[in-house]
Amino acid sequence: MAKKTVAKTPTKNANPALKNATARTSIAPTGAKARAIAATEPVSPKLKGGKTANPLAPERVAAILDGLEKAYPKAVCALNHRSAWELLVATILSAQCTDVRVNLATPALFKAFPTPKAMAAASLPELEELIRTTGFFRNKAKSIQGAGRVVTEEFGGEVPHTMEELLRIPGAARKTANVVLGSWFGIAVGVVVDTHVLRISRRLELTKETTPEKVEKDLMRVIPQAKWIEYSHQVIYHGRQICYARKPRCADCTLERLCNSADKTWSSH
């Protein structure tokens, strides 16, 4: 696996403990460096209404992937983990929660219950207290306890590495399964679609869909399978640092020349 870089991630949360939380990250290039990368990519012809002529052209998709690779060459999963089991649990906890907050909670959780068998035997109140800060802690406690039970009883204590088997684990929907398969096992059977991937893929006109399942199907059609894992990691970092939902930092975007989104805040073409 690629070397994982750990860097501090700022947060506005008032909890002082979060100041020491960390998440793996790949820092986005900004200013002149970002514009230099953008200048190496072609300009996508623009139509009226924030539309691109032939947005799914293979050469345009290739340019988007090239711009992301130049900006985030070492992008990896931001959730801290040492095994497939830890990644599975961390991903379940990350639902509607930041990676920084999950990374703050998991060290104590895995110290107390380091194996699927131990997690399955834990009481719900114990689990709830350890993951309380991740939000929706009661449902998540049931999910990770159930995940421990299924992994122990049905898979011999080892996290399975097929989509079909992972989907049998409580709390593991398709997104979670794709994270584990891609980030730990290096198996690309789908594309992780979180809020950043959905938003940016729509802005880049790689899809018109609005649900993760349909967006994933579109991305699997237009992006080469060899790039499915990297695409998700890179776009997630891009969404967290540059392509915000509101007021995206288009002047610092390495994909700016390829993007004709109607909500751009700056344009070179």
Side-chain angles (χ1 to χ4, degrees):
M1 295 182 67
K3 182 180 179 181
K4 298 176 174 63
T5 301
V6 179
K8 288 187 177 180
T9 301
T11 177
K12 295 180 180 180
N13 194 282
N15 183 349
L18 285 173
K19 293 180 180 179
N20 296 319
T22 60
R24 299 178 180 93
T25 190
S26 183
I27 304 301
T30 58
K33 186 175 181 180
R35 289 189 287 276
I37 294 174
T40 66
E41 307 301 341
V43 173
S44 291
K46 180 167 53 177
L47 303 176
K48 291 183 179 180
K51 302 295 182 181
T52 299
N54 198 10
L56 301 182
E59 58 271 21
R60 179 175 183 266
V61 174
I64 289 172
L65 298 176
D66 180 67
L68 288 169
E69 179 63 26
K70 289 174 179 175
Y72 310 98
K74 298 181 180 180
V76 295
C77 180
L79 292 167
N80 296 333
H81 60 279
R82 299 167 297 180
S83 65
W85 167 246
E86 290 191 358
L87 179 57
L88 172 64
V89 172
T91 308
I92 292 172
L93 296 180
S94 71
Q96 300 185 60
C97 180
T98 66
D99 290 339
V100 169
R101 194 175 284 278
V102 172
N103 289 342
L104 184 68
T106 49
L109 175 67
F110 294 135
K111 182 178 181 180
F113 307 108
T115 65
K117 184 176 181 179
M119 191 89 58
S123 71
L124 285 177
E126 288 177 305
L127 293 176
E128 289 172 359
E129 187 60 31
L130 287 167
I131 66 171
R132 182 178 295 271
T133 57
T134 68
F136 302 96
F137 60 91
R138 290 189 175 87
N139 286 336
K140 290 181 180 179
K142 292 177 183 177
S143 291
I144 62 176
Q145 183 193 59
R149 183 180 64 254
V150 170
V151 170
T152 300
E153 297 176 358
E154 297 187 24
F155 301 112
E158 298 293 330
V159 174
H161 50 269
T162 69
M163 177 63 72
E164 293 74 17
E165 290 174 317
L166 281 166
L167 292 179
R168 289 160 54 187
I169 296 174
R174 188 171 176 89
K175 173 192 165 185
T176 297
N178 274 327
V179 170
V180 174
L181 289 171
S183 295
W184 186 262
F185 294 111
I187 300 173
V189 299
V191 180
V192 174
V193 177
D194 74 344
T195 182
H196 301 294
V197 174
L198 193 153
R199 178 180 73 253
I200 294 172
S201 297
R202 282 176 53 82
R203 276 180 172 163
L204 291 171
E205 299 172 81
L206 300 180
T207 181
K208 295 180 181 179
E209 300 294 344
T210 58
T211 64
E213 296 79 9
K214 291 182 178 180
V215 169
E216 182 185 5
K217 289 181 180 179
D218 281 351
L219 294 177
M220 290 169 69
R221 281 192 287 265
V222 301
I223 296 173
Q225 187 172 6
K227 290 290 186 179
W228 288 356
I229 297 171
E230 291 89 330
Y231 175 80
S232 294
H233 290 322
Q234 291 164 348
V235 171
I236 288 170
Y237 285 125
H238 195 60
R240 287 173 177 162
Q241 301 175 68
I242 302 295
C243 196
Y244 302 143
R246 297 181 181 179
K247 297 182 179 180
R249 295 168 54 189
C250 299
D252 286 327
C253 180
T254 55
L255 306 179
E256 188 276 323
R257 287 159 59 98
L258 295 159
C259 179
N260 293 310
S261 179
D263 61 352
K264 287 178 69 173
T265 58
W266 180 83
S267 181
S268 64
H269 61 282

